[in-house]
Amino acid sequence: MIGIFNLYGFLNTVICGFIIGVAGITPGLSGSVLAISLGIYPKLLSSVMNLRKELKKSVCFLGIFAVGALLGMFLFGVVMKPLLENFQRSIIWLFIGLITGSVPAFMKEATQKGFKISYVIPMIFAFAIGVFFATLTEHKLTASVSSPVMLFAAGAILAIGAVVPGMSSSFVLMQIGMYDKLISSFVCFKWLDMFWISLGAVVFLLTTIKLINLAFEKLHGYAHFAAFGFLLSSVVGVFPGIEHITDVFLFIAGALLIYAFGVITKSKVKKQD
């Protein structure tokens, strides 16, 4: 149990928030998967779901967590912005590798209660919707990425990655042309943009958290495979093509890195149990 009013609890919550904040803006990483690995995921869900019942306790915990997450987003954004500007294709290949390396762990979680061939249906349906949305918005979003509606939507997409295991919000934001805008909003302290992004995340969480939690509890396999379909469609949307052998090396490095991380965190969880 994480203590809110002691130094260890405070630092632990801030550090977890920092790590998950970094994951939230790193294409290929899922903030919710890291939250599960760090053991803070149940606390996050219960704090949001019981916000009215335990207002003071929930607000205190979420506030401390948000400080760490925002700090992580800012510091990592400072590094990520110039990298994407100068080495976009290489960075995307690294991130695709991160996603590929996380597939085994994701599939193990998705098939925890067994596999049904019918799970493929929501995956294909979600993939088709994602690809259709990408082609529909490919040439229409660049002129309106600064609009409050798009910033609000970006915040909601970030929130999805925070509660849906395996979802990489940043890859989806890349697909719709909002990723660069998100990074610059935090790095350049564009307070109005940050307000709309934060509002989108908060509103989405408060209005859908119980429904999402219920879907993943009652329709475990179907929900996970649908999430995987959306994730695959976002990869297709930003696929950069292979131009150099370093692209392959970066892909392999990313896959091995996240796979090793999953093995290490899994062993730690087993020791704690």
Side-chain angles (χ1 to χ4, degrees):
M1 180 68 71
I2 296 175
I4 298 300
F5 299 108
N6 60 68
L7 183 60
Y8 171 78
F10 175 83
L11 291 176
N12 186 60
T13 304
V14 170
I15 292 170
C16 286
F18 182 91
I19 295 171
I20 294 168
V22 169
I25 62 169
T26 304
L29 292 183
S30 169
S32 52
V33 168
L34 281 182
I36 292 170
S37 301
L38 293 167
I40 201 172
Y41 187 72
K43 181 71 174 178
L44 281 171
L45 277 184
S46 64
S47 294
V48 176
M49 293 177 68
N50 298 317
L51 193 59
R52 293 181 180 179
K53 295 179 181 178
E54 301 176 345
L55 182 62
K56 185 177 180 180
K57 183 179 178 181
S58 295
V59 168
C60 185
F61 172 78
L62 292 173
I64 294 171
F65 178 84
V67 168
L70 290 173
L71 185 62
M73 287 181 177
F74 168 71
L75 293 179
F76 192 70
V78 170
V79 176
M80 186 56 60
K81 195 172 187 294
L83 284 177
L84 282 173
E85 288 174 352
N86 297 291
F87 309 102
Q88 186 178 43
R89 191 190 73 257
S90 298
I91 294 299
I92 290 176
W93 268 115
L94 176 65
F95 293 151
I96 292 176
L98 292 175
I99 285 183
T100 303
S102 66
V103 168
F106 181 83
M107 284 301 172
K108 186 174 182 180
E109 173 65 24
T111 57
Q112 192 178 51
K113 299 179 180 180
F115 174 77
K116 297 178 181 179
I117 192 65
S118 55
Y119 289 168
V120 178
I121 296 174
M123 184 183 76
I124 295 174
F125 186 67
F127 177 80
I129 291 176
V131 171
F132 173 76
F133 182 73
T135 56
L136 190 67
T137 59
E138 186 177 1
H139 304 292
K140 297 181 180 180
L141 292 181
T142 53
S144 59
V145 291
S146 296
S147 69
V149 173
M150 288 307 303
L151 292 168
F152 185 92
I157 292 170
L158 273 180
I160 292 174
V163 296
V164 177
M167 281 298 295
S168 175
S169 297
S170 297
F171 246 114
V172 178
L173 291 171
M174 270 189 172
Q175 183 188 32
I176 64 174
M178 286 296 296
Y179 184 73
D180 290 341
K181 182 63 180 176
L182 177 77
I183 294 293
S184 64
S185 295
F186 285 101
V187 172
C188 301
F189 292 105
K190 297 179 180 179
W191 298 109
L192 186 58
D193 289 354
M194 290 170 66
F195 166 77
W196 286 112
I197 292 169
S198 301
L199 184 64
V202 171
V203 170
F204 179 87
L205 283 175
L206 291 179
T207 55
T208 64
I209 187 69
K210 290 186 177 180
L211 182 62
I212 290 175
N213 187 53
L214 183 65
F216 276 84
E217 279 186 358
K218 302 297 184 182
L219 301 169
H220 186 86
Y222 293 101
H224 275 82
F225 272 82
F228 187 64
F230 279 119
L231 185 59
L232 284 178
S233 70
S234 66
V235 174
V236 171
V238 298
F239 190 76
I242 301 175
E243 294 184 9
H244 199 274
I245 190 65
T246 55
D247 296 338
V248 178
F249 287 140
L250 286 168
F251 169 78
I252 295 172
L256 292 176
L257 180 66
I258 200 65
Y259 181 78
F261 176 82
V263 171
I264 293 169
T265 53
K266 183 181 177 181
S267 64
K268 287 184 178 180
V269 170
K270 282 186 176 179
K271 287 180 180 179
Q272 290 175 356
D273 293 340

